[in-house]
């Protein structure tokens, strides 16, 4: 006894349902991939490109009840904002935190700021800068 073939002749009746669903999955995957890349690009641009003020701690001098922090601030001309600095004690407890404001037309500012502490601070850490 032989079995008759149930396959349709090649190319005679159009695509099979499997080929149509494969094509649909490819199109949907491509659209979702492009949308994801656009979203990542949008957030990356706003995170990196729109940050108008940045800074770094050049050096610090810890005292008994204050820490002198030398900050170098870079910003767009005319932009204003603030940078947050904190100090920690030797055991890791936070002993001081303050925001220091920077504005004006200068694009690079070197400034020594005083961070008051509740006890002797051993560090000066820049937590971040934010534009207004």
């Amino acid at each position: 006894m032989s079995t008759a073939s149930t396959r349709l002749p090649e190319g005679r009746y159009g695509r099979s349902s499997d080929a149509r669903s494969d094509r649909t999955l490819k199109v949907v995957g491509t659209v979702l991939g492009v949308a994801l890349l656009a979203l990542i690009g949008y957030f990356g641009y706003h995170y990196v490109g729109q940050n108008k003020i940045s800074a770094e701690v050049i050096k610090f001098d810890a005292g008994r009840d204050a820490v002198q922090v030398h900050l170098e601030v870079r910003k767009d001309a005319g932009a204003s904002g603030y940078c947050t600095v904190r100090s920690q004690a030797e055991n890791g407890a936070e002993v001081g935190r303050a925001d220091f404001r920077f504005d004006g037309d200068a694009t690079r500012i070197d400034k020594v700021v005083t961070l008051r502490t509740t006890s002797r601070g051993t560090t000066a850490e820049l937590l971040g800068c934010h534009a207004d």
Side-chain angles (χ1 to χ4, degrees):
M1 211 182 249
S2 78
T3 338
S5 173
T6 58
R7 287 180 44 137
L8 298 174
E10 290 289 327
R12 187 165 186 185
Y13 297 104
R15 295 183 189 174
S16 70
S17 63
D18 287 342
R20 278 192 297 271
S21 62
D22 286 348
R23 184 174 187 274
T24 303
L25 284 174
K26 287 179 185 176
V27 169
V28 168
T30 301
V31 168
L32 289 176
V34 167
L36 179 65
L37 285 175
L39 188 66
I40 290 171
Y42 174 79
F43 284 124
Y45 171 76
H46 282 283
Y47 180 74
V48 174
Q50 296 297 317
N51 193 6
K52 297 179 181 179
I53 184 169
S54 64
E56 66 179 306
V57 174
I58 302 300
K59 66 178 182 172
F60 66 91
D61 183 26
R64 193 176 57 129
D65 59 353
V67 177
Q68 299 290 322
V69 183
H70 181 186
L71 290 175
E72 180 180 303
V73 180
R74 291 167 304 282
K75 64 182 191 66
D76 292 344
S80 63
Y82 62 94
C83 293
T84 304
V85 179
R86 79 169 176 177
S87 181
Q88 293 178 309
E90 195 170 322
N91 65 359
E94 184 175 288
V95 294
R97 178 187 292 238
D99 294 332
F100 297 101
R101 186 157 244 343
F102 298 97
D103 49 10
D105 290 332
T107 58
R108 185 176 170 276
I109 301 169
D110 275 330
K111 189 172 184 180
V112 177
V113 295
T114 301
L115 174 63
R116 297 193 179 272
T117 58
T118 56
S119 64
R120 185 170 189 82
T122 58
T123 66
E125 178 182 8
L126 177 68
L127 296 179
C129 294
H130 305 279
D132 292 335

